[in-house]
Amino acid sequence: MTRQNDILTQHDNKDVAGLTHPSRTRLNSMSPLAAIIGRNVRRRRIERDFSLSVLVERTEIALDDLQAIENEHVRPEPEQLLALARALDVSPSALLTEE
């Protein structure tokens, strides 16, 4: 199996200096964990009547990254998961388990 076929790709996760940002690493194929987290974040955000802008303010996670998480394209970094759990007033495990 080649590196190109691995789950993670490096196609759109570099800044202007060419530095890689792990939180922006896109998944090449559907990740079950990314799907669970994305659905849970979106559901909890909507239940609390938070806009994405409110969640950006509460978590300090970039809007593009939040959208990618909710759309099940990326798994959040551990720090992002903790920030999301705090902002949504749930335990991190609540975002990791399927309901």
Side-chain angles (χ1 to χ4, degrees):
M1 184 177 273
T2 66
R3 182 75 181 142
Q4 189 174 27
N5 291 333
D6 287 349
I7 291 174
L8 299 178
T9 61
Q10 301 290 323
H11 61 80
D12 66 340
N13 61 336
K14 294 187 178 183
D15 66 13
V16 289
L19 300 174
T20 300
H21 296 278
S23 65
R24 290 194 154 167
T25 302
R26 303 284 173 172
L27 297 170
N28 209 9
S29 59
M30 177 55 77
S31 164
L33 185 57
I36 290 167
I37 294 170
R39 284 191 299 267
N40 285 334
V41 168
R42 181 179 301 232
R43 182 174 48 79
R44 302 283 183 159
R45 178 180 62 79
I46 291 169
E47 284 174 356
R48 282 155 183 75
D49 201 29
F50 289 171
S51 66
L52 277 170
S53 298
V54 168
L55 203 53
V56 165
E57 289 175 21
R58 289 176 172 251
T59 62
E60 298 183 359
I61 297 173
L63 177 60
D64 289 346
D65 289 342
L66 281 175
Q67 289 173 325
I69 291 167
E70 282 198 359
N71 291 323
E72 306 170 18
H73 295 289
V74 297
R75 286 184 306 257
E77 295 294 314
E79 300 82 20
Q80 293 174 320
L81 184 69
L82 292 172
L84 287 164
R86 279 192 298 271
L88 297 169
D89 196 30
V90 297
S91 69
S93 63
L95 298 178
L96 296 169
T97 55
E98 202 158 19
E99 292 186 15

